[in-house]
Amino acid sequence: MRCYDNGVRKLRIFQGLLALALVLASLTGSVGAPADGASRARIPVQAPQAIRQKGLPALVEFYATWCSACKQLEPQLQALEKQTLGRLSITRIDVDDPGAHALTEAFGIRTTPSYYFYDRDGALFFRMDDAVVQSGLLRAVALELSGQAPVLDPLSAQDVAALGIPPQRGLRLAAFHRKLCSPCDDAQDMLKQARKALGARGDVVELDTSLPAVRALMTRWGVASAPAYVLIDENGAALLTMRRALDSDDRDYITRFIRLWIAGRP
C-alpha cells in the first residue's frame, strides 16, 4: 500500500479538485438506492482526475483511522497492491483529512470503508459501501479489473446444447451436483436464494456430474468432484470457486457475494 504524508496527499487531491468540479458538473448518471431504501447521493460515474493514473483501472478506498473494519481489511489491500502492481491504481482517502472533504462530499460517503472501482476508461465499474464489506468480493473485483481473474474455457454452442443449459446472459452460478448426495441436497435452498438474487441479471445452472458432457466440462474447468460451485461473470472470469461441500456459512457467503455483486454494478 502506498503511504503518503498528509502534505503530499493534500497536494495531489487539491490538484484534482478543479478537474473534479468540471467532471461533476457534467455527470448524468446516478446509482440506485441501497438495500434499506434510503436515498443515496449521486457519485461520479467517471473517475476524477485526482485518482486517475496512466489509464489504469482504479480502486478508491475511503477509510478512517478509527475504523476497525478498515484496519481489518488493510492487510488485504496491501496484498492486492502487490498482486496488481502496474495493473491497478489504488488510492486511499482519509475521510477526516480536511483536504479530502470535497471528494468525500462528491461521493456522498456515509460509511467507512467505502470502495469504488473504475475501469481503465475511467467509467464506474463497481461500488461497495456496505457497512460490512466482504473481503472476498473486494479481491474478486480487483483481480477482474486488473485482468488477473482466472478465465474459464468458454462454452461453445455445442457445449451449451450438450449440457442442456441456456446460453449465459450475465452472472452465472454453476453447481456441480451428483445424485444421492446429501451436501448437494442441502445446497438447494442456497441455489433458490441465488436465483432470486440474480433475477434477470444472471442464472443458476445445476449440472449432473453423471453426464459425460458435464464430466468433460469439469476437466476443462479444473473441478475434480461434486459438489462444487463456480460463479462466472459475463466475460467468463471465475469470481468465486468452492470445490467442496458447503456448510451454512459457505451458503450464506455465496448468496451474499451475489447480492453485493448485483447491488454494486451500475
Side-chain angles (χ1 to χ4, degrees):
M1 183 64 61
R2 296 182 180 86
C3 295
Y4 301 104
D5 60 39
N6 286 339
V8 173
R9 185 171 62 248
K10 290 177 183 177
L11 176 60
R12 292 195 173 184
I13 292 174
F14 176 77
Q15 288 173 337
L17 290 181
L18 288 178
L20 172 61
L22 294 174
V23 171
L24 294 177
S26 63
L27 295 178
T28 59
S30 63
V31 302
D36 60 6
S39 62
R40 186 195 296 264
R42 292 165 64 88
I43 65 170
V45 295
Q46 289 288 325
Q49 291 298 322
I51 61 173
R52 298 187 70 170
Q53 179 181 332
K54 298 179 181 179
L56 294 177
L59 162 59
V60 187
E61 179 202 30
F62 290 89
Y63 75 99
T65 56
W66 43 262
C67 168
S68 59
C70 303
K71 293 176 182 177
Q72 291 173 0
L73 286 165
E74 186 168 355
Q76 176 152 352
L77 282 173
Q78 291 174 339
L80 276 177
E81 183 167 42
K82 292 179 181 178
Q83 189 170 358
T84 62
L85 184 64
R87 295 171 176 263
L88 180 70
S89 170
I90 298 178
T91 302
R92 303 188 71 216
I93 299 174
D94 184 348
V95 297
D96 292 322
D97 183 345
H101 283 176
L103 280 174
T104 57
E105 286 299 315
F107 279 80
I109 300 301
R110 297 293 179 266
T111 62
T112 56
S114 289
Y115 298 93
Y116 295 86
F117 292 84
Y118 291 89
D119 66 21
R120 63 181 63 255
D121 295 320
L124 180 65
F125 178 80
F126 191 86
R127 66 175 187 272
M128 183 163 44
D129 53 5
D130 195 90
V132 180
V133 176
Q134 196 161 14
S135 59
L137 181 58
L138 181 68
R139 181 176 184 275
V141 179
L143 292 182
E144 182 182 16
L145 266 184
S146 63
Q148 294 177 289
V151 178
L152 301 177
D153 188 16
L155 298 181
S156 66
Q158 291 80 4
D159 292 327
V160 169
L163 293 167
I165 60 176
Q168 187 168 344
R169 55 186 174 84
L171 200 62
R172 165 168 283 174
L173 176 62
F176 293 88
H177 283 176
R178 64 177 185 271
K179 296 177 181 178
L180 302 178
C181 167
S182 294
C184 303
D185 295 338
D186 292 340
Q188 290 303 316
D189 186 61
M190 181 273 290
L191 297 182
K192 185 184 300 182
Q193 294 299 319
R195 288 187 180 94
K196 182 178 179 180
L198 287 166
R201 299 185 67 176
D203 62 8
V204 175
V205 293
E206 195 169 3
L207 302 171
D208 183 351
T209 58
S210 68
L211 300 177
V214 174
R215 291 198 298 271
L217 180 63
M218 292 170 67
T219 300
R220 289 162 56 186
W221 285 6
V223 177
S225 61
Y229 306 87
V230 184
L231 186 65
I232 314 151
D233 75 359
E234 59 272 18
N235 299 313
L239 302 176
L240 177 66
T241 302
M242 288 191 176
R243 298 183 177 92
R244 62 178 185 270
L246 305 179
D247 59 24
S248 59
D249 288 340
D250 291 330
R251 293 192 289 270
D252 290 343
Y253 183 89
I254 290 176
T255 53
R256 178 166 171 75
F257 190 107
I258 290 172
R259 290 190 184 104
L260 286 173
W261 177 268
I262 295 295
R265 293 300 301 271

